[in-house]
């Protein structure tokens, strides 16, 4: 079922969450370990992230460095299939621009369609760690809006090779999600510019928005109000992540361009050990979730970041 259909048919506030594929060398049991406890709360869909290739340098016997390409977290499509098979719920694979050309993207979408996957979350993706800016693969997409258009074209039966476009061509029917940034994307000059390009993604065919994490609900409510004033009417799903370590007070703002309220910062800085920090993060996320749910938000999306026990405690308190 499509994400937007889950939302339309819901009689109460829903919750969804996002998981990472396990590191290379681990198996699907790691994913089931994350998911099994959370199945108690009947999530309608689960997002599975996609991680592009990385480059590492290995020293050879002669002292020269050899560049190697490695994918540390492969398996997004296989994990989605396993989730649907084991739990009978919808899986939402992330689809990114980085590392794909248009033909590779089309092939990936064909695979997803064959597996009966109805939803994709379309993202530009991060630049390589060795690059300061994002660079598309040759004949790939530089921006998420271009990727949205390609998915939408396949929904209309438009292939890259027009010889496959026939009257009886099977049309795809992907529900397309995109990212929104309550405190603006880190590369955007201002929130107005960011909203301009978000609207372009909706006009290109995106059906719903999932936001970047935030720790102040006022930022989210303001973002929604600005979206609606710009004519963006699709569902906007808030993304929540509990802080679980002191180092995240610095790493999260620098990586995701967000602010952490001073009240939360002070509480975490006073904490004497990791368990207390985790508890503070959970309680803050519970408070956020209650306010969002009481305001009529249809779905709350949680970023697990390989810490399902934290999300379990939050969802247990809310749902």
């Amino acid at each position: 079922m499509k994400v937007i259909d889950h939302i339309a048919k819901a009689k109460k506030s829903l919750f969804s969450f996002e998981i990472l594929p396990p590191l290379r060398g681990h198996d699907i049991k790691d994913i089931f370990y994350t998911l099994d406890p959370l199945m108690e709360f009947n999530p309608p869909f689960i997002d599975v992230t996609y991680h592009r290739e990385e480059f590492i340098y290995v020293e050879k016997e002669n002292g020269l460095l050899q560049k190697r390409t490695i994918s540390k977290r492969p398996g997004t499509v296989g994990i989605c299939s396993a989730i649907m098979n084991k739990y009978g719920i919808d899986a939402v694979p992330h689809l990114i621009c980085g590392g794909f050309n248009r033909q590779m993207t089309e092939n990936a979408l064909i695979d997803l369609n064959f597996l009966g996957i109805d939803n994709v979350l379309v993202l530009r993706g991060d630049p390589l760690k060795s690059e300061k800016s994002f660079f598309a693969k040759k004949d790939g997409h530089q921006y998420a809006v271009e990727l949205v258009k390609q998915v939408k074209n396949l929904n209309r039966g438009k292939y890259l090779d027009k010889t496959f476009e026939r009257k009886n061509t099977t049309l795809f029917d992907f529900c397309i999600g995109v990212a929104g940034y309550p405190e603006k994307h880190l590369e955007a000059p201002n929130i107005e510019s960011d909203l301009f390009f978000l609207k372009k993604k909706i006009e290109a065919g995106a059906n719903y928005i999932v936001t970047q994490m935030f720790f102040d609900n006022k930022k989210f409510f303001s973002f929604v109000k600005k979206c609606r004033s710009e004519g963006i009417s699709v569902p906007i799903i808030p993304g929540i992540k509990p802080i679980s370590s002191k180092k995240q007070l610095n790493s999260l703002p620098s990586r995701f361009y967000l602010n952490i309220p001073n009240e939360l910062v002070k509480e975490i800085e006073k904490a004497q050990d990791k368990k207390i920090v985790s508890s503070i993060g959970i309680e803050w996320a519970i408070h956020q979730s209650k306010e969002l749910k009481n305001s009529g938000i249809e779905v709350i999306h949680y970023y697990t970041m390989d810490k399902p026990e934290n999300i379990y405690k939050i969802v247990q308190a809310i749902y």
Side-chain angles (χ1 to χ4, degrees):
M1 187 186 297
K2 295 181 179 181
V3 167
I4 55 173
D5 290 337
H6 281 294
I7 294 172
K9 294 180 179 181
K11 296 181 180 179
K12 61 179 182 178
S13 179
L14 307 173
F15 95 98
S16 64
F17 57 94
E18 178 177 299
I19 60 171
L20 310 177
L23 286 167
R24 184 179 291 272
H26 295 252
D27 64 27
I28 195 68
K29 291 179 182 178
D30 295 335
I31 294 298
F32 296 154
Y33 168 78
T34 297
L35 298 182
D36 283 347
L38 293 168
M39 289 302 106
E40 175 184 334
F41 305 103
N42 299 313
F45 57 90
I46 298 169
D47 278 40
V48 184
T49 61
Y50 187 93
H51 298 255
R52 65 177 300 183
E53 80 285 359
E54 296 181 26
F55 296 119
I56 61 173
Y57 292 87
V58 180
E59 186 174 356
K60 300 171 67 176
E61 292 182 2
N62 60 8
L64 297 177
L65 295 177
Q66 181 182 28
K67 186 178 180 180
R68 288 179 53 193
T69 303
I70 184 171
S71 178
K72 292 185 177 179
R73 290 184 182 271
T76 298
V77 175
I79 291 167
C80 286
S81 180
I83 287 172
M84 294 171 66
N85 181 62
K86 181 175 175 63
Y87 301 108
I89 62 175
D90 286 301
V92 184
H94 289 193
L95 191 66
I96 65 173
C97 297
F100 285 82
N101 61 31
R102 296 179 192 181
Q103 190 61 62
M104 293 165 67
T105 297
E106 184 173 286
N107 293 343
L109 288 164
I110 290 170
D111 283 344
L112 296 176
N113 181 63
F114 286 161
L115 289 170
I117 291 173
D118 297 322
N119 307 277
V120 288
L121 185 69
V122 170
L123 308 162
R124 188 200 69 179
D126 296 326
L128 292 170
K129 292 180 180 179
S130 58
E131 299 175 344
K132 291 184 179 180
S133 301
F134 178 86
F135 294 99
K137 195 178 183 71
K138 185 178 179 181
D139 195 34
H141 298 303
Q142 182 68 27
Y143 303 105
V145 66
E146 298 170 346
L147 186 50
V148 171
K149 290 177 180 178
Q150 184 173 5
V151 179
K152 193 67 177 180
N153 279 339
L154 276 175
N155 281 357
R156 295 168 176 154
K158 295 182 179 181
Y159 289 79
L160 296 174
D161 186 340
K162 295 187 182 300
T163 60
F164 291 99
E165 295 179 14
R166 301 184 299 273
K167 291 183 179 179
N168 62 345
T169 298
T170 299
L171 304 182
F172 291 8
D173 193 23
F174 287 112
C175 178
I176 306 169
V178 293
Y181 301 87
E183 298 176 72
K184 90 172 186 64
H185 189 276
L186 60 91
E187 296 174 16
N190 52 59
I191 188 67
E192 289 76 19
S193 174
D194 204 24
L195 286 171
F196 174 82
F197 289 107
L198 176 60
K199 187 175 181 180
K200 290 293 184 185
K201 291 189 283 188
I202 303 305
E203 291 173 343
N207 304 105
Y208 69 97
I209 298 166
V210 180
T211 77
Q212 179 59 273
M213 68 184 76
F214 57 90
F215 295 91
D216 182 350
N217 285 353
K218 292 178 183 176
K219 303 286 187 182
F220 173 76
F221 293 131
S222 175
F223 173 72
V224 172
K225 185 177 180 180
K226 289 176 180 177
C227 284
R228 300 311 185 210
S229 69
E230 292 294 325
I232 297 173
S233 59
V234 300
I236 301 175
I237 302 173
I240 299 294
K241 175 195 161 18
I243 287 181
S244 57
S245 68
K246 284 189 176 183
K247 68 179 182 180
Q248 288 177 344
L249 293 179
N250 301 114
S251 64
L252 293 179
S254 64
R255 182 179 178 187
F256 298 107
Y257 193 85
L258 53 82
N259 291 282
I260 301 176
N262 197 41
E263 180 185 351
L264 177 56
V265 172
K266 287 182 177 180
E267 286 296 313
I268 290 175
E269 287 180 337
K270 288 190 300 183
Q272 299 298 313
D273 58 51
K274 291 182 179 180
K275 288 185 178 181
I276 296 176
V277 171
S278 180
S279 178
I280 293 169
I282 289 168
E283 288 302 316
W284 188 273
I286 288 173
H287 174 75
Q288 277 190 273
S289 300
K290 286 182 177 179
E291 184 177 29
L292 290 167
K293 186 179 177 185
N294 291 339
S295 72
I297 295 300
E298 298 139 320
V299 186
I300 303 176
H301 187 72
Y302 295 94
Y303 297 104
T304 64
M305 298 295 207
D306 285 340
K307 293 190 179 296
E309 62 278 2
N310 289 0
I311 305 304
Y312 181 91
K313 292 176 182 178
I314 296 165
V315 176
Q316 186 180 43
I318 301 302
Y319 293 91

